[in-house]
Amino acid sequence: MARKSSIFVALFSIASVGLVYRAASDSATTLSPQGCRMSYMSPSYLVQSHFDTSWTPLAKRYSLLLYREVGWEDNQSRGVPVLFIPGNAGSAHQIRSIASSAARQYYASPYTPSPEITSRAIQPLDFFAVDYNEDLSAFHGPTLDLETAYASSAISYILSLYPPGTPIVVMGHSMGGVVATSILPSPNISAVITMSTPHQLPPARFDRRIAAIYNSNRAALATANTPILSLCGGAADLMVPSESCILPEAVDVGVYRRTVFSSALEGCWTGVGHQVVVWCHQVRWRVARAALELGAVSTPAERGAILDRWLRDGRSPPPALGYPTPLHLNQANYTVLPPGPVVLRALREPGAVHLAPVPETGSPTKFVAYVSEGSVLSMGPYHASSLSVSFHLCLSKTDDASPSACEELHPSSLKLIPNPSPEKPFPVPHEGVDESDGVVVFEAILPGRKDGEHRWVAIAYSANEERGWILGDFVEEPMVMKFSVHDLLHKGVTVPVNPNKVHSDIRLPSLLSNALVVYRVGATYASDQGCDNPLLTPLLEHTPPSEAHFYPLTHARPLLLHTHSGAPFTSHPHTRGLNLTLYASPDCKVASLHLRVDWRSSLGRAGARYWTAVPGWAVGVVAWMLFSALGEYERGAPMPSVSDSLSVFTRATLPRLLGATLAISLLPLPRDYVLGNGGEIVFAPLAPLVLLIATGLVTVSWWVLCITMWPIRKAGRVLARRKADAGITRNTVLSMLLVLLLVALIVPWQVAFLGCWSIHLVTCATHVPAPPGDAPTPPPARSPSPPDRRPALRHPPHDAEHALLLLTWLLPLAAPVLAVWARTLATAGLGAASAADHGVWSVAPYLVLVDFASWTRDALFQRDRVEFVSARWGLLPPAVVAFLRGARHTYEVFDWVWGAVAVLVVLRVGPRYWGVSSWSSVLGSRAQSPTERTLVFKTNRISS
Ligand SMILES: *[C@@H]1O[C@H](CO)[C@@H](O)[C@H](O)[C@H]1NC(C)=O
Ligand SMILES: *[C@@H]1O[C@H](CO)[C@@H](O)[C@H](O)[C@H]1NC(C)=O
Ligand SMILES: *[C@@H]1O[C@H](CO)[C@@H](O)[C@H](O)[C@H]1NC(C)=O
Ligand SMILES: *[C@@H]1O[C@H](CO)[C@@H](O)[C@H](O)[C@H]1NC(C)=O
């Protein structure tokens, strides 16, 4: 009865974790599917053996490779150097797709440079890549530091092979981008291109050193003069939530920083997975091309312009115009179009000019035109057709309403959008967009009209073939609609659009725009039949501040609007406003859009961002439980068992904590606190939900521990052998010194911590008398302890069990570093592995506690008379820190727990560990108080 609540919470959290996991892993395919062509190459890697220990001692551990495209370039050629830095567990060979593309763009055929490229003083690229033996850099700051040191020496070495003053381009994938940023500022790096790099938030938050690296990188990102471009994969990237890929705003106005989402990257328009970004053809050839072209320019501004040109998204400024094309009209060679949208197809009269009259009613502010497959102001798909279009504004000063003077219109925005086929999914899986695909969108602001003036927009084109079409229209003010949250949550909202316009700007300023919210969009068409093969498939563009996503309004799949621009823990935790643009053609009229919240995907988004909060919060729950269990014990009751504590916690404490976390998440706290939502009301219920799940997982973890202890207990019975309660022995001192020496010299303290945990697991397993039924049905500690069958066990080891639970939830701190250490040991040998964290102090309190528990017959935590205030209060700060800061700065929770355990060990274990009964006797005060706890050996279930 009493435990029903904790069982219920545990089952609830198992179910929610399963649900959230499913939703999160589906989101890659539902939110932003991937359509990438595979890339092919003929790689070879030349090891740079001259880069040896005379350059850096790390040369023993890591290596530097030079990529060469077999059959296209020889081994010696020296052009412009590029350094590639792989990410966590990444390989130097990941450079092959980009390097191969650069070689095949430079060489028209094997060993013969392409004339188009050599005519512009572009040199071939030499791709170097550092090989880190697939080290796990995401989990371990010191490893990241080593990688930075090695990459920095590699740059010095590489530049020594080139004439003085040669700059180097640095590319980083994932954590490699963090390494690249750590090298900045450097005068020798001409540009940095990072791919799927978590710039803002470290993916693993257990390491203090990583947090420090991110802090110093923040300064480099804000001020370093080197242009930095960050390519992000969007929702298809399940490894790194893409909001942390967005570069923070630069402090200096002059420095170039650009974040480009692959869903917005012109000619790519697809979500790209975390590893895929290095080989996705549509991305890699553009990265390679940008690197090639960077070699031909020399100032940061020119480099920025090259990056903007080859890695364009719709938000890049329109290209600078050359001289305006003059347009001369006479009666013979122009056609005046009827009012309404302009549709020009089968463009077969070269030199023809079409005049679209500017409507004199209403308030047209903008002229918008779409040009399919062709180019405007030399902007178009990479393999554009011969169609070239220009737009002019013609005026008549006289009353005869015929145009006299024309002037070329300068675009306010010029970009490329996709034109997906209505029959196929978008983007086409495993294929994606072709280099000739795309529609140029030309937008120009029309100047104010003077009285009596007639105005036309003249559309002039030249074309050699009949490919492509032109659509144009005059656009009114954006449509602004406001909704209440209530409307949205209950039935969704309907946005009517003007079906006769080819272009509609829709602003929904009251809607929440956040990484945690996904909207599902549907469209209704003006005609019931829908559309049959329209010129332009109706296309919805969603443009949050740093990205753009395109959704064809076909019925192929649900359209899920999502963003990364407002996200927990980032500088914009809550933003509002959804900006949508609808591109349509007159042969396919959209009448309205319907939006509602997609709960399932939203849940998946929250799950992908908040799973890191669970370990920290669970430590908070465990610390709180130990705190209240000790309180009970110190008030004279027996120490409650873990199961009892869990049920007391869920029944009595949890409801209040849920209320408290809800209240705290309503406060506009700084972005690092609680769940990083800065007090947004809509997200406030997430904090209690995470707390509930963390509590449930603590219960589940206790069941798992009990199930694990069961076989150990069985085995332990056979080998039952208890040490005498002899206090500290020479043996213990020796083994303790040995362990500490090992930690100080060879193994990282995390290994010793894992050892502590295992020893304590065995201690707890062999302490507890097995319940008569044996089967460890959850919760196993339910059955009363049987009569004392083994006299050696004098106390109910409930405090040891609490300690076991605490140690278990501290394992996530140690586990990643253990993995790093084991990997280093395997790849680089003991020498490199011993350069680990030797914080003897980090593990000493746990060692003493665990060793004491293994031989004592007393309670672990007897209150000492010298404590004016019970040392159990030390457990409260870790719990509070866990809920306030644990989601973002998990390592702080572990530090605070360390402090609390150290205090408990020094005050309560220390004297008895050294064979003295208590600090009071050490300090010579009166003997033990009569209230000194005697050990109560009876069941201590707490009835409800
Ligand atoms: C280039 O290096 C590769 C790998 O070391 C080698 O197999 C090849 O023969 C070399 N080619 C030339 C032209 O030196
Ligand atoms: C880096 O640039 C600085 C300044 O231009 C130059 O003095 C230095 O030699 C360069 N380093 C290398 C390794 O080329
Ligand atoms: C229209 O005709 C005039 C005179 O014949 C010529 O100068 C002008 O270039 C023509 N315009 C175009 C766009 O071909
Ligand atoms: C929407 O567009 C307007 C006008 O361009 C802009 O001021 C606003 O910041 C945009 N909102 C969002 C969320 O991007």
Side-chain angles (χ1 to χ4, degrees):
M1 173 61 195
R3 297 194 171 107
K4 265 193 192 146
S5 50
S6 62
I7 295 178
F8 175 76
V9 171
L11 295 180
F12 169 80
S13 64
I14 294 178
S16 352
V17 168
L19 193 74
V20 170
Y21 178 79
R22 284 279 307 279
S25 42
D26 284 355
S27 66
T29 46
T30 52
L31 293 189
S32 182
Q34 179 173 299
C36 277
R37 214 173 319 145
M38 192 66 168
S39 52
Y40 299 93
M41 72 292 303
S42 49
S44 70
Y45 308 92
L46 308 180
V47 178
Q48 301 298 291
S49 48
H50 293 299
F51 182 47
D52 55 17
T53 46
S54 64
W55 287 89
T56 165
L58 291 166
K60 278 192 258 172
R61 180 166 172 184
Y62 300 140
S63 52
L64 180 68
L65 309 180
L66 171 64
Y67 179 92
R68 291 281 100 175
E69 183 80 352
V70 175
W72 286 77
E73 51 186 353
D74 62 44
N75 291 354
Q76 306 310 320
S77 73
R78 294 267 181 252
V80 173
V82 178
L83 178 68
F84 173 75
I85 307 175
N88 182 52
S91 154
H93 293 194
Q94 284 173 312
I95 192 54
R96 60 183 179 270
S97 304
I98 295 170
S100 159
S101 176
R104 290 177 191 222
Q105 290 185 64
Y106 182 83
Y107 295 99
S109 59
Y111 308 105
T112 314
S114 143
E116 186 233 330
I117 274 196
T118 45
S119 66
R120 288 188 296 129
I122 289 177
Q123 290 174 289
L125 296 181
D126 299 330
F127 276 91
F128 294 86
V130 281
D131 195 0
Y132 291 136
N133 293 320
E134 310 188 5
D135 262 2
L136 303 173
S137 49
F139 304 115
H140 196 217
T143 303
L144 213 51
D145 283 334
L146 292 184
E147 295 195 355
T148 305
Y150 186 77
S152 184
S153 313
I155 290 176
S156 305
Y157 167 76
I158 294 167
L159 291 180
S160 75
L161 307 173
Y162 292 83
T166 308
I168 186 167
V169 177
V170 177
M171 294 181 183
H173 174 236
S174 187
M175 291 307 281
V178 176
V179 173
T181 314
S182 308
I183 302 174
L184 297 177
S186 159
N188 306 319
I189 300 181
S190 60
V192 173
I193 300 176
T194 67
M195 290 164 266
S196 304
T197 291
H199 283 291
Q200 290 209 33
L201 299 171
R205 300 165 193 171
F206 302 133
D207 192 301
R208 173 176 293 281
R209 180 65 202 132
I210 288 196
I213 293 173
Y214 268 76
N215 273 338
S216 63
N217 277 6
R218 198 163 301 141
L221 287 175
T223 56
N225 197 27
T226 307
I228 305 178
L229 185 138
S230 173
L231 264 173
C232 310
D237 185 343
L238 289 182
M239 210 78 86
V240 167
S242 276
E243 62 265 21
S244 66
C245 179
I246 298 176
L247 288 172
E249 282 128 42
V251 174
D252 298 345
V253 205
V255 304
Y256 176 93
R257 298 289 181 269
R258 204 67 91 213
T259 303
V260 176
F261 276 72
S262 58
S263 58
L265 180 60
E266 294 184 353
C268 182
W269 300 306
T270 167
V272 170
H274 189 70
Q275 307 292 343
V276 180
V277 69
V278 291
W279 62 253
C280 177
H281 174 74
Q282 280 87 346
V283 177
R284 63 123 185 193
W285 82 257
R286 287 184 169 80
V287 172
R289 184 59 180 258
L292 270 173
E293 304 264 348
L294 279 174
V297 296
S298 54
T299 67
E302 289 169 325
R303 288 171 184 144
I306 293 285
L307 292 173
D308 270 346
R309 162 130 196 252
W310 292 99
L311 296 164
R312 269 184 70 91
D313 65 0
R315 299 172 309 111
S316 318
L321 297 187
Y323 293 104
T325 334
L327 182 72
H328 304 290
L329 298 173
N330 67 12
Q331 295 290 346
N333 59 5
Y334 68 80
T335 322
V336 177
L337 297 166
V342 178
V343 183
L344 300 175
R345 50 207 301 189
L347 309 167
R348 64 172 75 84
E349 321 149 57
V353 175
H354 292 82
L355 295 186
V358 180
E360 305 297 351
T361 54
S363 55
T365 54
K366 239 187 347 188
F367 173 74
V368 175
Y370 311 149
V371 175
S372 165
E373 294 178 68
S375 55
V376 180
L377 293 166
S378 65
M379 224 215 57
Y382 185 58
H383 290 158
S385 70
S386 60
L387 175 64
S388 164
V389 187
S390 62
F391 300 94
H392 311 255
L393 183 67
C394 302
L395 305 172
S396 92
K397 298 269 171 13
T398 55
D399 283 343
D400 66 353
S402 71
S404 51
C406 297
E407 205 170 287
E408 183 159 16
L409 275 171
H410 286 212
S412 59
S413 148
L414 187 64
K415 63 182 178 186
L416 208 57
I417 63 168
N419 185 8
S421 151
E423 279 99 46
K424 293 187 193 154
F426 175 77
V428 185
H430 309 298
E431 195 177 315
V433 178
D434 191 75
E435 267 125 55
S436 60
D437 282 354
V439 171
V440 181
V441 177
F442 172 95
E443 293 182 18
I445 308 281
L446 298 179
R449 172 175 169 263
K450 296 192 191 83
D451 274 345
E453 199 176 58
H454 294 273
R455 303 189 297 174
W456 297 264
V457 167
I459 304 166
Y461 64 80
S462 67
N464 300 338
E465 60 215 305
E466 276 188 25
R467 261 165 74 190
W469 44 256
I470 302 170
L471 287 181
D473 207 350
F474 297 93
V475 179
E476 288 153 17
E477 293 285 340
M479 181 175 40
V480 181
M481 289 189 73
K482 291 208 161 116
F483 305 104
S484 70
V485 177
H486 182 268
D487 293 342
L488 185 71
L489 294 187
H490 281 78
K491 43 188 181 3
V493 295
T494 300
V495 183
V497 289
N498 183 347
N500 296 318
K501 289 286 173 194
V502 301
H503 184 102
S504 318
D505 273 325
I506 302 161
R507 306 242 168 99
L508 308 172
S510 54
L511 291 193
L512 206 60
S513 172
N514 190 286
L516 301 177
V517 186
V518 177
Y519 297 100
R520 179 181 285 251
V521 186
T524 48
Y525 291 92
S527 94
D528 292 342
Q529 290 87 40
C531 317
D532 193 23
N533 214 356
L535 280 184
L536 178 72
T537 309
L539 193 70
L540 192 65
E541 184 189 14
H542 174 212
T543 46
S546 325
E547 49 195 316
H549 304 275
F550 293 94
Y551 303 91
L553 296 178
T554 51
H555 300 289
R557 64 179 181 90
L559 308 179
L560 299 171
L561 301 188
H562 60 283
T563 167
H564 299 92
S565 300
F569 306 120
T570 63
S571 36
H572 304 286
H574 46 92
T575 46
R576 280 180 188 274
L578 223 57
N579 288 354
L580 302 172
T581 307
L582 181 66
Y583 303 93
S585 70
D587 52 2
C588 189
K589 294 176 176 173
V590 176
S592 68
L593 298 175
H594 186 79
L595 265 85
R596 62 190 167 83
V597 174
D598 189 278
W599 291 105
R600 193 182 137 85
S601 307
S602 300
L603 201 63
R605 302 282 279 174
R609 279 150 187 83
Y610 286 139
W611 65 268
T612 48
V614 170
W617 285 42
V619 171
V621 168
V622 174
W624 194 296
M625 273 167 46
L626 180 56
F627 166 76
S628 29
L630 284 177
E632 192 135 332
Y633 176 58
E634 284 166 15
R635 283 190 295 270
M639 180 87 181
S641 70
V642 169
S643 311
D644 288 332
S645 285
L646 273 170
S647 68
V648 169
F649 182 84
T650 14
R651 266 185 307 116
T653 319
L654 187 61
R656 273 178 264 158
L657 269 187
L658 292 178
T661 46
L662 183 70
I664 290 175
S665 36
L666 289 171
L667 303 177
L669 294 172
R671 61 182 180 185
D672 281 3
Y673 285 81
V674 198
L675 294 184
N677 286 317
E680 175 61 58
I681 294 175
V682 179
F683 301 131
L686 282 172
L689 189 66
V690 171
L691 180 60
L692 209 56
I693 291 179
T695 309
L697 290 184
V698 170
T699 310
V700 174
S701 69
W702 179 242
W703 295 347
V704 172
L705 280 175
C706 289
I707 293 170
T708 321
M709 285 193 290
W710 181 73
I712 304 176
R713 178 178 310 136
K714 287 283 172 204
R717 279 244 187 92
V718 181
L719 309 167
R721 181 166 49 88
R722 301 298 312 165
K723 280 189 215 154
D725 183 2
I728 192 153
T729 62
R730 186 179 305 264
N731 247 345
T732 323
V733 174
L734 276 184
S735 46
M736 187 68 64
L737 283 179
L738 187 69
V739 172
L740 291 181
L741 200 68
L742 272 178
V743 170
L745 295 180
I746 299 173
V747 301
W749 66 264
Q750 287 87 351
V751 173
F753 185 83
L754 186 68
C756 285
W757 178 81
S758 334
I759 292 171
H760 198 59
L761 182 74
V762 173
T763 304
C764 288
T766 48
H767 259 301
V768 188
D774 275 0
T777 46
R782 151 173 277 157
S783 29
S785 308
D788 192 0
R789 269 194 264 146
R790 288 186 295 148
L793 298 182
R794 302 301 309 196
H795 70 92
H798 288 152
D799 43 5
E801 289 175 353
H802 277 279
L804 175 66
L805 191 61
L806 186 63
L807 290 184
T808 306
W809 278 101
L810 294 181
L811 278 180
L813 162 75
V817 178
L818 271 179
V820 171
W821 185 73
R823 175 141 210 161
T824 313
L825 196 64
T827 57
L830 194 60
S834 65
D837 322 3
H838 300 300
V840 172
W841 286 113
S842 308
V843 76
Y846 302 112
L847 262 179
V848 171
L849 178 67
V850 160
D851 187 50
F852 181 65
S854 72
W855 51 257
T856 185
R857 287 198 229 138
D858 292 344
L860 287 184
F861 303 119
Q862 285 173 14
R863 181 164 177 177
D864 194 294
R865 294 259 297 165
V866 295
E867 293 175 32
F868 295 113
V869 178
S870 168
R872 75 186 177 104
W873 288 94
L875 288 162
L876 220 43
V880 172
V881 169
F883 302 134
L884 283 184
R885 310 256 304 164
R888 172 68 179 83
H889 297 283
T890 316
Y891 59 87
E892 290 182 0
V893 182
F894 295 115
D895 290 354
W896 281 91
V897 170
W898 179 89
V901 171
V903 167
L904 278 174
V905 165
V906 168
L907 285 179
R908 301 195 168 181
V909 174
R912 289 179 291 154
Y913 190 67
W914 294 100
V916 193
S917 62
S918 70
W919 280 110
S920 333
S921 54
V922 175
L923 302 174
S925 62
R926 252 165 26 85
Q928 293 294 292
S929 74
T931 58
E932 161 116 320
R933 314 277 170 244
T934 50
L935 299 163
V936 189
F937 194 23
K938 65 170 195 179
T939 71
N940 41 25
R941 295 171 56 189
I942 293 166
S943 55
S944 46

